[in-house]
Amino acid sequence: MNHLYYGDNLDVLRRYVDDESVDLVYLDPPFKSDQNYNVLFAEQDGSRSAAQIQVFEDTWKWDQGAAAAYQEVVESGEQVSLAMQAMRQALGNNDMLAYLAMMAPRLVQLRRTLKSTGAIYLHCDQTASHYLKVLLDAVFSPENFRSEIIWKRTTSHNDARRNFGIVSDCIFYYVKSSVAPFFRQFKSYDPKYIESKYRHVDAAGRIYRLSDMRSPHPRPNLTYDYKGHKPHPNGWAVSLEKMKQMDADGLLEFPKKKDGRIQARRYLDERQGMPINNVWDDIPPINAMAQERLGYPTQKPEALLERIINASSKEGDTILDPFCGCGTTIAAAQKLGRKWIGIDITNLAISLIKHRLQTAYGETVKYKVIGEPVSVEDAEQLAHDDPYQFQWWALGLVGARPVEQKKGADRGIDGRLFFHDEAESGNTKQIIFSVKAGHTGPAHVRDLVGVLDREKAAIGVLITMQQPTAPMRKEAASSGFYTSTWGHGDPTKHPRVQIMTVGELLDGTRPDFPPTRDLRTFKKAPRAKAKKSDGQKHLDM
């Protein structure tokens, strides 16, 4: 069963993910990479209160929580403890050390979850890559380092006038042990390479190139003559038996001159392509018009994750992403027939992933969500612990997207949902959502009506924890109805202001919307298509 967890990944890893149960880990941990370096390395006394990571904000701060995390890592001993102590001496107490103190125990837990055949890919930029490499060496040991992959994520950058343009990210690839498999990946040949190398065509129209048959190193046991042709002083590259087989298969090109050498035919249609090296410049970032673009700031292209997953896992393996964001790792794993585990600390990310899976796979994908509220009591606790996470969760229940504004500046709008119900004009209509976890009264309904008028919105929905009072219902009823003309039947009427309780939403009741052809919140993921691979059927995008 696939699992999607809402919560702090350190707690989730410790509580729910078993030892040696994961085949591949990919993580792209958040970091405020555009923050001023003077701020990142400024000395801090740790007295400020711990700040929880919020959506789209990378808030690793040296505070009491970070200091406690550092102490826990150091007291655990082993190489990671020594590494953290050395970095504290070098860096001091600052936000960079806080970031490393938060990452260290997570890397330790990720190593625990990996099978002996497992691998981990850590994605980062130049801001902290060198420190993360030290941590990875301490956790996984230097001999298990396999590669530093450079991904060219863009072609230009506006900092090029003051510095060398920063156009790449770094992906560190480690294995848990020497028995970890690696499946070599290939990409298509460059047309110019094909034109320059594959210049021959046989009688059947097949394109091929010629390659030398000499051994690169002296091999006295392979210095035989073949059909009157002498070998190179180093000897042949193949045995006599192999030479005869290649001859029988028509894979040898004999020289026209007596003193020429035999060459081998390498057919283009038999080549897998160019082996992938550690510089990946063939996977472009997600552009503004890309079909897979979902509007998540740090979204990575699925092709990037597909390459990683194909290189270090096989069908049926389990893939884990502890910072899964908008769910690109999950989407790629599902597409390639792997099982998956996703973890994220924001309800917005969880809602986006569920929407992505639904639009791409419908009911064919099976997974379990753990950590989200399943009762009114759970919702009340979430609202008490983190009002903004409660707000994002509640909006996720109705498929609405939170407003992309700073906290405290929502102007009475917590979420929006867009729809179209006019066949000819195509005018976009909107539904406004307001979420209240505390006491509510008629004034909140009147405020929502004012927002509807200001925004020229079709419908407004007030989501409350408490049951609405009679005056609230009366106030909502007085706002009238929105009339939809979509379809060939009679126009349909829908209350312009609606009040929904969390309990009703948990029971499956939904707001009264027009029967539209197109209801939009998050951008839809491309629909998945079934395909067969290696004798098994799984879904392809």
Side-chain angles (χ1 to χ4, degrees), residues 3 20 69 148 230 247 263 311 318 355 361 434 442 468 511 524:
H3 288 88
E20 299 191 357
E148 178 182 354
K230 300 286 185 183
D247 192 2
Q263 293 180 292
T318 298
H355 177 81
Y361 298 98
S434 177
K524 289 185 178 181

Side-chain angles (χ1 to χ4, degrees), residues 241-525:
E241 292 75 15
K242 178 66 175 178
M243 183 75 82
K244 291 179 179 179
Q245 185 61 54
M246 292 178 67
D247 192 2
D249 294 338
L251 297 179
L252 297 182
E253 185 102 352
F254 290 91
K256 295 179 180 180
K257 296 181 179 180
K258 186 175 181 181
D259 59 346
R261 299 194 186 279
I262 300 174
Q263 293 180 292
R265 290 185 177 186
R266 308 295 184 187
Y267 282 93
L268 180 61
D269 58 12
E270 294 179 348
R271 312 304 293 175
Q272 292 179 282
M274 186 71 71
I276 300 294
N277 56 32
N278 74 320
V279 178
W280 296 359
D281 58 1
D282 61 324
I283 300 178
I286 301 174
N287 63 58
M289 302 303 294
Q291 187 179 17
E292 68 176 280
R293 186 179 181 88
L294 301 176
Y296 199 86
T298 58
Q299 183 179 355
K300 302 300 185 293
E302 283 189 25
L304 183 72
L305 273 300
E306 289 175 23
R307 177 171 292 174
I308 290 171
I309 291 172
N310 280 324
S312 292
S313 71
K314 58 185 183 300
E315 287 194 43
D317 284 352
T318 298
I319 315 300
L320 167 64
D321 187 343
F323 296 94
C324 60
C326 66
T328 300
T329 303
I330 289 171
Q334 182 69 30
K335 174 181 178 179
L336 297 174
R338 274 65 165 174
K339 297 187 288 288
W340 50 261
I341 300 170
I343 311 170
D344 204 274
I345 200 170
T346 69
N347 262 298
L348 176 59
I350 301 300
S351 296
L352 179 54
I353 293 169
K354 291 192 293 185
H355 177 81
R356 184 174 190 171
L357 292 171
Q358 175 64 33
T359 56
Y361 298 98
E363 301 301 321
T364 62
V365 58
K366 304 299 181 184
Y367 63 96
K368 185 176 182 181
V369 181
I370 298 174
E372 281 194 317
V374 295
S375 67
V376 174
E377 291 75 16
D378 292 343
E380 289 174 341
Q381 185 63 50
L382 178 60
H384 176 269
D385 294 341
D386 192 324
Y388 291 103
Q389 292 289 351
F390 167 76
Q391 176 179 298
W392 295 326
W393 167 77
L395 291 170
L397 291 178
V398 295
R401 184 164 193 161
V403 292
E404 297 179 4
Q405 296 176 343
K406 292 183 178 180
K407 300 164 190 175
D410 56 29
R411 302 183 66 213
I413 305 172
D414 294 322
R416 301 177 190 265
L417 192 154
F418 299 97
F419 69 94
H420 301 93
D421 65 347
E422 295 179 3
E424 296 181 359
S425 70
N427 291 332
T428 299
K429 312 292 182 64
Q430 67 171 318
I431 302 167
I432 299 296
F433 292 85
S434 177
V435 181
K436 303 296 180 184
H439 177 74
T440 53
H444 293 103
V445 182
R446 289 192 291 270
D447 290 343
L448 181 56
V449 173
V451 173
L452 293 181
D453 294 338
R454 185 190 74 215
E455 300 290 323
K456 296 180 173 58
I459 295 173
V461 180
L462 177 63
I463 299 176
T464 69
M465 189 73 75
Q466 301 173 336
Q467 287 291 334
T469 63
M472 290 174 65
R473 294 186 183 279
K474 182 178 179 180
E475 196 73 43
S478 66
S479 65
F481 293 86
Y482 168 76
T483 302
S484 174
T485 59
W486 175 251
H488 301 290
D490 295 331
T492 59
K493 292 186 176 182
H494 311 272
R496 187 164 181 254
V497 173
Q498 303 173 30
I499 305 173
M500 302 289 300
T501 67
V502 168
E504 289 172 331
L505 295 175
L506 286 171
D507 288 338
T509 305
R510 292 295 178 264
D512 185 359
F513 298 156
T516 63
R517 59 172 180 170
D518 194 9
L519 198 61
R520 295 291 182 94
T521 53
F522 303 106
K523 184 178 180 293
K524 289 185 178 181

Side-chain angles (χ1 to χ4, degrees), residues 112-170:
R112 175 189 62 79
T113 67
L114 278 175
K115 298 177 182 177
S116 60
T117 54
I120 182 171
Y121 290 76
L122 191 154
H123 193 140
C124 57
D125 65 17
Q126 65 172 10
T127 311
S129 60
H130 38 306
Y131 303 119
L132 289 170
K133 175 68 165 60
V134 173
L135 270 185
L136 287 164
D137 280 346
V139 175
F140 288 90
S141 78
E143 62 265 24
N144 288 325
F145 169 70
R146 286 295 177 267
S147 184
E148 178 182 354
I149 299 163
I150 302 300
W151 174 47
K152 185 181 179 183
R153 56 177 170 78
T154 185
T155 56
S156 62
H157 207 282
N158 59 12
D159 59 3
R161 288 178 294 179
R162 301 181 59 188
N163 191 5
F164 294 106
I166 302 171
V167 298
S168 65
D169 282 355
C170 170

Side-chain angles (χ1 to χ4, degrees), residues 11-47:
D11 178 61
V12 171
L13 289 168
R14 287 170 170 167
R15 295 176 58 190
Y16 295 107
V17 186
D18 293 336
D19 294 356
E20 299 191 357
S21 61
V22 173
D23 297 283
L24 173 63
V25 171
Y26 168 85
L27 67 158
D28 182 11
F31 190 75
K32 192 67 174 175
S33 56
D34 60 351
Q35 193 172 355
N36 187 294
Y37 269 71
N38 293 331
V39 175
L40 287 174
F41 292 94
E43 191 75 14
Q44 305 288 344
D45 61 9
S47 61

